[in-house]
């Protein structure tokens, strides 16, 4: 193999390091950017690898992957996701940072500003996983590629924020490794760097998409970065003031569809499904956030946008899992389905999931539609018959469906793998491939016997699938993991997939010779979306056979992706019946429980039927699950973090602002919104809030649900700062000018609270309704716009204002942690809820947050926030920012330091900022 490299080029660094790490036997050819003898059409400075076959690779990441594959190191899902993230997110930002260093002469933290969130993502991933490297405890191609992109920018380690300790350790370890060290010495020579700099100077500056632009690539969930605000333009400020002045009349009129909801010509028609939960178990918090809660949040957002929206779901009731559960509980399959369908419905009702219809798959419509799809596939030659080897239990006198078999996974040696899929490595399995198989019914050893089955001819359908996928990816929003998992299925080559099973409980196969069999659940279950809609309306085909008018969103966890992106679309494409196929496939990673797994049998973790017994309201659960929604990587539920987020983000930030804004109207202005005379500072606030509002829309339109929630909290944070700086409780006691200022601040603040009520509705519907009731927000104002308008004009009367949230106490949370930590009886008595804090007699700053002492994860998080806020304050002072803005940010820094002191067990007293001492 011959490898051509241009010294000085960043892409050459990762390729050289990968060649060394994988001990690749390559002949090196050094040259400049104009010497592209191996790949004359490749970009300047791109490396090129000529294989012995004559094929030339010039994608740096493809070359790196080739070296590791040749070395016998197969990629994992995680390494491939890192590579996709590096190519789509990290590389563009690193190009901006490198240009800033080499061409614009920027240094230190200023030079790497474009990398801020991306570095935080790496830090968080390493910290949460507790591994030495990005994809595990051993170095992989992902480490080499990411290091190679970062090293040219971060060679001077002063550019690496000191608080990112896990990232610094990983980066230093990589830099000191022999392969990386040799690559850096060979590629980044001073003379070559000068040549590369000269090349860059002739190029236009690279630019990123607008900060926070929607993307579904893996991203961190960092704390709000207060220092990242960009300067406002005069045009933005003027436009915000004009939009405000137009008032509620400028809002779109809320639109309520008729029942049943059906597509409407000329409207945006949105069809939303969440993966049908198995009826045989109780959903835990991870199941709830992965499917129904995420879909519900998006459905509520769509309705607030006046999009014609139908959201359907239901229990998946056929298949082996139901038969297994029936055997365990001594019930019939139908009795099991009836029991658990009611449990699921109760849980989702408590979580305030706004299904238009929640159904089930054990219906006549399911049989009719599934058999029709089968007959159309059969008539068009897309089904095959074959004899397969299957496990048969002679004790039970039956062929064993996949879930009636357990054994050792042939891929990762996990000893409790199911007969269809390994829960540890995620790979699909044929039951006969299991080592040491056992019958789950009698624990006997099954034997392999032949049986006839029907198969969906996926290879024959692939020529229809691939063009559709390319079109859907180009026009829709698929999460990065959904794209990757689908690509891996296509890359490995599609194989015929069995669609029948030797069971009694299922949709019967309408074909002679197979009438004693039923459809396999992964052929049958997705058809449940159609049959559930058919149970909702007899005009179901207007949704499901109408791709010209309907946009389909599928929500699920990542393990369900291939069945929704390959198997089910192939089934529908093969019918040639104009079915609506998925436009946007939204898949989450996994939610863990306190760094472990949920387990009903071991009593570990919170399950849906237990959440309401904790005394914590459903909206708090919704908020916290959506706050840590695993959008780009796995996340973990933590009781300490739940308490922190409730007490800080909800009680001290959001609730504090909304309560104070309403209380000021009641106490100082007799419950009537006062007149407002906007100053330039007020108009700047309107523009800042408008930017957050539009970011909220951009993120939710791309189904970035977790990140959009940060926009809400950021708006309330701006509101708290606005109140603190202007001190209306003092100005109301002053002269006419001061009283007028108090009125303006109060009026703007209560209108911000009114807008927050609408923005919160998809996330916390009960809290949103409470705010609407307290502020008497007119129903016609409960609609989303892209502008911040004055919806509560002077003279508007508000109602009775009361606190929205309660503090979670440490002993209460510790009791819950023990209760759900395993081995505890489920009816363990709980500590009583803290009493509602009555409204203070005078407006006061937010109450101090009660923090768990000695929690190292919390201490590290607060330390990082203090360092980040300190840097922001120093930057404001260096830029000679307005005093009011500096004071507000200093106050925030002092509050963070106080929280850190409490968490460390020290005295929370901190110095009073200059200029604020009482005389």
């Amino acid at each position: 193999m011959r490898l051509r490299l241009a010294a000085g080029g960043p892409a050459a660094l990762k390729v050289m390091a990968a060649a060394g790490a994988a001990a690749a036997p390559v002949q090196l050819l050094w040259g400049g950017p104009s010497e592209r003898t191996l790949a004359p059409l490749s970009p300047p400075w791109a490396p090129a690898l000529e294989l012995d076959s004559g094929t030339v690779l010039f994608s740096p990441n493809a070359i790196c992957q080739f070296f590791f594959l040749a070395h016998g190191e197969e990629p994992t899902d995680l390494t491939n996701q890192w590579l996709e993230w590096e190519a789509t997110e990290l590389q563009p930002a690193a190009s901006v940072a490198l240009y800033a260093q080499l061409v614009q002469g920027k240094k230190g933290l200023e030079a790497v500003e474009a990398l801020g969130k991306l570095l935080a993502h790496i830090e968080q991933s390493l910290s949460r996983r507790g591994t030495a490297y990005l994809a595990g405890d051993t170095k992989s191609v992902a480490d080499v590629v990411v290091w190679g992109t970062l090293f040219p920018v971060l060679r001077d380690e002063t550019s690496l924020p000191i608080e990112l300790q896990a990232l610094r350790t990983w980066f230093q370890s990589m830099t000191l490794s022999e392969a990386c060290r040799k690559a850096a010495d060979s590629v980044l020579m001073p003379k070559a760097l000068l040549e590369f700099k000269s090349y860059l100077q002739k190029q236009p500056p690279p630019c990123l998409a607008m900060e926070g632009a929607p993307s579904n690539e893996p991203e961190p969930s960092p704390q709000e970065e207060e220092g990242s605000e960009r300067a406002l333009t005069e045009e933005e400020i003027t436009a915000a003031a004009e939009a405000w002045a137009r008032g509620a009349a400028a809002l779109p009129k809320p639109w309520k569809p008729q029942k049943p909801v059906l597509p409407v010509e000329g409207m945006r028609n949105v069809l939303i499904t969440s993966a049908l939960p198995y009826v045989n178990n109780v959903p835990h918090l991870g199941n709830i956030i992965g499917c129904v809660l995420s879909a519900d949040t998006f459905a509520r957002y769509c309705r607030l946008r006046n999009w014609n929206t139908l959201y359907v779901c239901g229990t998946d009731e056929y298949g082996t899992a139901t038969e297994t559960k029936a055997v365990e509980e001594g019930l019939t399959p139908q009795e099991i389905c009836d029991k658990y369908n009611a449990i699921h419905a109760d849980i989702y009702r408590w979580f305030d999931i706004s299904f238009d219809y929640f159904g089930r798959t054990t219906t006549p419509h399911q049989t009719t539609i599934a058999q029709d799809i089968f007959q159309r596939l059969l008539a068009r030659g897309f089904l095959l018959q074959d004899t397969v080897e299957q496990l048969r239990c002679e004790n039970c006198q039956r062929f064993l469906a996949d879930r009636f078999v357990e054994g050792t996974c042939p891929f990762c040696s996990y000893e409790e793998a199911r007969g269809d899929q390994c829960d540890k490595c995620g790979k699909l399995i044929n039951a006969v491939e299991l080592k040491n198989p056992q019958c789950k019914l009698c624990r006997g050893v099954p034997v392999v016997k032949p049986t006839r089955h029907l198969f969906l001819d996926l290879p024959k359908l692939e020529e229809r699938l691939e063009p559709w996928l390319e079109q859907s990816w180009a026009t829709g929003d698929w999460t990065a993991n959904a794209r990757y998992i689908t690509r891996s299925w296509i890359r490995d080559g599609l194989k015929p997939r069995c669609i029948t099973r030797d069971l009694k409980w299922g949709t019967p196969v309408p074909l002679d010779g197979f009438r004693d069999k039923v459809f396999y659940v992964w052929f049958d279950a997705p058809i449940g979306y159609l049959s559930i809609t058919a149970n909702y309306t007899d005009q179901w085909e207007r949704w499901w056979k109408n791709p010209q008018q309907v946009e389909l969103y599928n929500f699920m966890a990542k393990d369900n992706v291939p069945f929704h992106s390959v198997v089910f679309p192939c089934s529908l494409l093969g019918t040639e019946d104009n079915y609506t196929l998925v436009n946007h496939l939204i898949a989450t990673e996994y939610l863990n429980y306190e760094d472990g797994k949920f387990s009903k049998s071991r009593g570990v973790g919170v399950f849906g039927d237990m959440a309401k017994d904790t005394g914590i309201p459903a909206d708090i659960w919704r908020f916290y699950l959506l706050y840590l929604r695993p959008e780009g990587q796995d996340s973990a539920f933590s009781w300490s973090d739940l308490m922190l987020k409730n007490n800080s983000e909800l009680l001290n930030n959001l609730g504090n602002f909304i309560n104070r804004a309403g209380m000021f109207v009641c106490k100082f202005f007799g419950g009537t919104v006062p007149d407002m005379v906007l100053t330039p500072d007020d108009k700047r606030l309107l523009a800042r809030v408008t930017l957050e509002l539009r970011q909220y829309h951009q993120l939710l339109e791309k189904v970035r649900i977790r990140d959009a929630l940060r926009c809400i909290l950021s708006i309330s944070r701006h509101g708290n700062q606005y109140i603190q700086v202007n001190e209306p409780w003092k100005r109301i006691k002053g002269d006419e000018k001061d009283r007028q200022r108090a009125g303006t601040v109060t009026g703007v603040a209560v209108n911000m609270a009114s807008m927050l009520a609408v923005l919160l509705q998809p996330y916390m519907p009960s809290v949103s309704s409470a705010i609407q009731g307290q502020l008497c927000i007119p129903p016609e104002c409960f609609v989303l716009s892209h502008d911040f308008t004055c919806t509560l004009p002077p003279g508007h009367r508000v109602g009775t204002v009361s606190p929205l949230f309660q503090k979670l106490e440490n002993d209460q949370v510790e009791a819950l942690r023990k209760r759900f930590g395993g081995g505890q009886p489920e009816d363990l008595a709980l500590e009583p809820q803290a009493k509602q804090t009555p409204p203070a007699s005078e407006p006061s700053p937010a109450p101090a947050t009660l923090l768990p002492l000695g929690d190292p994860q919390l201490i590290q998080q607060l330390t990082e926030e203090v360092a980040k806020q300190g840097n922001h304050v120093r930057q404001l002072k260096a830029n000679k920012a307005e005093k009011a803005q500096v004071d507000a940010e200093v106050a925030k820094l002092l509050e963070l330091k106080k929280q850190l002191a409490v968490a460390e067990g020290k005295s929370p007293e901190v110095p009073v900022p200059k200029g604020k001492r009482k005389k």
Side-chain angles (χ1 to χ4, degrees):
M1 295 185 291
R2 293 192 301 161
L3 178 62
R4 188 199 70 79
L5 298 173
L13 182 63
K14 65 173 78 168
V15 170
M16 185 75 172
V26 295
Q27 175 190 355
L28 288 176
L29 304 174
W30 294 95
S34 61
E35 301 173 34
R36 287 174 277 170
T37 54
L38 296 182
L41 298 180
S42 64
W45 298 92
L49 176 68
E50 183 181 20
L51 306 182
D52 295 337
S53 63
T55 301
V56 177
L57 304 178
F58 57 84
S59 162
N61 286 8
I63 295 172
C64 294
Q65 287 178 285
F66 178 83
F67 287 152
F68 274 78
L69 277 169
H71 194 244
E73 297 187 32
E74 290 285 336
T76 65
D77 286 0
L78 191 53
T79 57
N80 279 300
Q81 287 189 43
W82 274 112
L83 292 176
E84 184 159 348
W85 174 80
E86 185 273 343
T88 58
E89 297 281 344
L90 185 61
Q91 277 190 38
S95 297
V96 171
L98 192 59
Y99 191 92
Q101 281 185 345
L102 295 181
V103 178
Q104 297 171 337
K106 294 183 180 180
K107 295 181 180 180
L109 293 174
E110 182 187 17
V112 299
E113 184 179 6
L115 292 171
K117 289 187 177 181
L118 305 174
L119 297 179
H121 170 56
I122 301 173
E123 168 75 18
Q124 186 182 52
S125 179
L126 289 167
S127 299
R128 278 194 172 166
R129 294 182 187 280
T131 55
Y133 296 99
L134 298 178
D137 291 320
T138 57
K139 194 183 306 174
S140 71
V141 64
D143 296 283
V144 173
V145 167
V146 172
W147 173 86
T149 298
L150 289 176
F151 184 77
V153 183
L154 301 178
R155 281 184 300 160
D156 175 8
E157 290 193 10
T158 61
S159 302
L160 195 55
I162 194 168
E163 64 269 19
L164 303 182
Q165 287 300 321
L167 172 59
R168 291 175 72 91
T169 300
W170 168 83
F171 186 75
Q172 289 166 356
S173 172
M174 291 297 298
T175 301
L176 292 173
S177 68
E178 183 179 3
C180 293
R181 191 178 68 251
K182 286 184 176 180
D185 291 344
S186 302
V187 174
L188 302 182
M189 296 180 293
K191 182 179 178 181
L193 279 176
L194 284 174
E195 187 178 353
F196 182 66
K197 177 179 177 180
S198 175
Y199 165 77
L200 282 183
Q201 288 171 333
K202 300 172 185 175
Q203 308 302 313
C207 63
L208 290 172
M210 185 178 63
E211 183 179 355
S215 160
N216 271 318
E217 300 302 334
E219 282 221 1
S221 52
Q223 297 300 315
E224 290 295 318
E225 295 194 20
E226 298 297 334
S228 64
E229 290 182 359
R230 65 169 177 83
L232 295 165
T233 66
E234 287 302 319
E235 291 80 5
E236 287 171 331
I237 295 169
T238 301
E242 290 174 351
W244 164 272
R246 287 194 291 270
L251 292 173
K253 301 300 179 206
W255 182 78
K256 298 296 182 185
Q258 294 183 340
K259 301 296 181 182
V261 182
L262 296 171
V264 176
E265 184 78 35
M267 291 192 71
R268 183 171 182 180
N269 299 294
V270 178
L271 176 58
I272 299 172
T273 69
S274 50
L276 306 182
Y278 276 133
V279 78
N280 68 308
N281 57 26
V282 177
H284 57 63
L285 297 181
N287 303 136
I288 290 167
I289 184 59
C291 299
V292 295
L293 180 54
S294 294
D296 175 67
T297 305
F298 185 68
R300 289 176 177 274
Y301 171 75
C302 292
R303 296 181 189 118
L304 285 172
R305 291 293 303 274
N306 281 344
W307 297 343
N308 187 39
T309 304
L310 178 68
Y311 175 26
V312 295
C313 187
T315 42
D316 175 9
E317 301 190 351
Y318 281 137
T320 320
T322 306
E323 283 198 19
T324 306
K325 193 69 174 178
V327 170
E328 289 175 3
E329 297 196 15
L331 300 172
T332 67
Q334 186 62 60
E335 289 170 338
I336 283 289
C337 291
D338 293 343
K339 172 184 174 180
Y340 281 93
N341 174 268
I343 291 173
H344 277 265
D346 285 344
I347 290 169
Y348 303 139
R349 194 177 301 113
W350 186 80
F351 274 95
D352 212 352
I353 307 299
S354 63
F355 302 118
D356 289 289
Y357 187 76
F358 184 78
R360 55 201 305 185
T361 57
T362 51
T363 66
H365 279 302
Q366 177 75 10
T367 301
T368 301
I369 298 172
Q371 290 184 347
D372 177 67
I373 289 173
F374 168 81
Q375 295 286 12
R376 294 181 72 90
L377 289 169
L378 183 66
R380 286 157 180 77
F382 292 121
L383 297 179
L384 305 172
Q385 296 184 23
D386 199 3
T387 299
V388 298
E389 301 289 308
Q390 193 170 335
L391 293 174
R392 179 179 171 84
C393 179
E394 298 298 348
N395 292 341
C396 300
Q397 287 294 298
R398 63 188 292 174
F399 282 102
L400 296 178
D402 298 338
R403 288 191 173 233
F404 284 118
V405 185
E406 281 185 350
T408 302
C409 174
F411 301 103
C412 71
S413 299
Y414 178 57
E415 294 183 355
E416 297 178 18
R418 302 195 311 265
D420 59 346
Q421 189 172 16
C422 175
D423 286 334
K424 184 175 181 182
C425 70
K427 290 188 181 295
L428 299 177
I429 300 170
N430 286 324
V432 293
E433 297 173 342
L434 286 172
K435 301 174 184 176
N436 308 315
Q438 277 192 332
C439 170
K440 283 191 67 174
L441 299 175
C442 71
R443 289 299 165 190
V445 178
V447 295
V448 177
K449 291 284 182 74
T451 181
R452 297 281 292 175
H453 278 291
L454 291 163
F455 291 75
L456 182 63
D457 194 348
L458 291 178
K460 191 172 181 179
L461 287 158
E462 189 168 355
E463 63 182 21
R464 301 182 182 216
L465 176 71
E466 291 197 16
W468 166 76
L469 275 175
E470 292 300 330
Q471 187 269 340
S472 185
W473 286 343
T475 58
D477 292 304
W478 289 49
T479 50
N481 55 0
R483 290 173 186 259
Y484 165 70
I485 292 167
T486 305
R487 285 193 191 108
S488 67
W489 266 55
I490 302 294
R491 183 191 63 232
D492 295 341
L494 297 181
K495 301 174 180 62
R497 187 157 189 85
C498 189
I499 64 167
T500 53
R501 284 293 183 266
D502 290 295
L503 291 173
K504 299 298 181 186
W505 186 247
T507 301
V509 178
L511 184 65
D512 290 343
F514 296 90
R515 296 187 185 275
D516 58 340
K517 303 179 191 293
V518 299
F519 288 129
Y520 178 34
V521 68
W522 275 117
F523 174 78
D524 188 59
I527 298 172
Y529 299 135
L530 284 62
S531 71
I532 287 168
T533 310
N535 279 288
Y536 169 68
T537 172
D538 58 6
Q539 300 182 68
W540 66 273
E541 291 184 349
R542 289 179 60 184
W543 284 106
W544 284 103
K545 294 186 180 181
N546 190 5
Q548 296 78 21
Q549 286 189 329
V550 174
E551 281 184 76
L552 173 58
Y553 287 79
N554 288 162
F555 285 80
M556 68 202 67
K558 66 179 180 182
D559 55 336
N560 282 338
V561 166
F563 306 104
H564 288 79
S565 67
V566 176
V567 179
F568 188 42
C570 278
S571 300
L572 297 183
L573 287 166
T575 65
E576 299 177 349
D577 204 16
N578 196 39
Y579 274 105
T580 302
L581 302 179
V582 62
N583 303 95
H584 315 274
L585 203 157
I586 312 300
T588 61
E589 300 292 319
Y590 295 136
L591 177 71
N592 296 314
Y593 179 80
E594 296 275 5
D595 297 322
K597 286 189 174 183
F598 290 86
S599 172
K600 186 81 168 179
S601 61
R602 292 186 290 113
V604 175
V606 181
F607 286 72
D609 55 346
M610 305 171 181
K612 59 184 174 183
D613 298 328
T614 61
I616 299 173
D619 267 19
I620 306 302
W621 286 109
R622 287 177 63 108
F623 167 83
Y624 184 60
L625 291 173
L626 291 163
Y627 190 95
L628 52 78
R629 182 175 183 261
E631 291 187 359
Q633 62 182 34
D634 291 357
S635 58
F637 173 91
S638 159
W639 284 106
S640 298
D641 190 50
L642 170 63
M643 183 175 73
L644 174 64
K645 296 301 184 293
N646 178 83
N647 294 350
S648 59
E649 292 291 9
L650 291 181
L651 184 65
N652 290 357
N653 174 18
L654 182 66
N656 184 50
F657 169 67
I658 293 172
N659 184 254
R660 294 171 85 188
M663 287 296 293
F664 291 157
V665 177
C666 294
K667 183 173 182 179
F668 301 145
F669 300 97
T672 301
V673 176
D675 290 331
M676 291 165 270
V677 180
L678 300 184
T679 67
D681 282 346
D682 299 327
K683 293 176 181 178
R684 276 193 288 273
L685 175 67
L686 301 184
R688 184 67 64 195
V689 171
T690 299
L691 286 182
E692 293 287 356
L693 171 62
R694 291 181 179 178
Q695 177 81 333
Y696 169 91
H697 281 299
Q698 283 185 325
L699 291 166
L700 276 177
E701 285 171 3
K702 294 291 184 180
V703 205
R704 291 269 295 280
I705 295 170
R706 181 196 64 202
D707 291 342
L709 179 55
R710 268 62 168 180
C711 297
I712 297 174
L713 299 174
S714 182
I715 290 172
S716 63
R717 203 169 283 119
H718 283 301
N720 277 314
Q721 292 169 13
Y722 178 63
I723 288 174
Q724 285 300 111
V725 168
N726 286 282
E727 300 179 321
W729 61 92
K730 291 183 180 178
R731 292 181 181 271
I732 196 66
K733 301 172 185 176
D735 57 19
E736 182 62 29
K737 183 178 179 182
D738 277 342
R739 289 196 296 275
Q740 184 186 73
R741 184 67 191 143
T744 298
V745 172
T746 299
V748 171
V750 79
N751 271 280
M752 288 177 66
S754 175
M755 185 183 74
L756 284 169
V758 185
L759 299 183
L760 267 176
Q761 202 270 354
Y763 294 88
M764 306 179 79
S766 295
V767 170
S768 170
S769 179
I771 301 169
Q772 184 181 15
Q774 291 182 19
L775 301 184
C776 299
I777 304 170
E780 60 268 21
C781 294
F782 241 70
V783 64
L784 278 171
S785 161
H786 280 70
D787 292 315
F788 176 26
T789 61
C790 179
T791 55
L792 306 183
H796 174 85
R797 296 282 301 175
V798 302
T800 302
V801 176
S802 59
L804 296 167
F805 304 109
Q806 298 176 346
K807 178 182 283 188
L808 288 176
E809 302 291 352
N810 194 45
D811 55 354
Q812 175 192 1
V813 167
E814 283 306 310
L816 291 168
R817 189 201 308 274
K818 290 178 183 177
R819 178 186 176 193
F820 296 106
Q824 298 293 324
E826 292 188 5
D827 57 353
L828 183 68
L830 296 179
E831 295 293 324
Q833 277 286 94
K835 292 183 180 179
Q836 195 94 9
T837 306
S841 57
E842 293 184 14
S844 61
T849 304
L850 184 64
L851 301 172
L853 299 181
D855 184 334
Q857 185 176 359
L858 176 60
I859 291 172
Q860 180 183 353
Q861 179 182 340
L862 287 170
T863 301
E864 293 171 0
E865 290 184 29
V866 167
K868 183 186 296 181
Q869 184 66 10
N871 288 335
H872 178 44
V873 170
R874 285 189 288 275
Q875 190 172 358
L876 285 176
K877 291 179 177 178
N879 294 339
K880 298 186 175 6
E882 294 179 8
K883 183 177 183 300
Q885 185 182 6
V886 174
D887 288 346
E889 296 302 313
V890 168
K892 187 183 303 178
L893 175 62
L894 295 177
E895 177 60 25
L896 284 169
K897 287 182 175 180
K898 187 189 297 185
Q899 292 183 24
L900 177 59
V902 172
E904 291 176 336
K906 301 175 184 176
S907 169
E909 294 301 319
V910 294
V912 178
K914 293 179 182 178
K916 297 289 182 183
R917 290 187 177 90
K918 293 182 179 179
K919 295 183 180 178

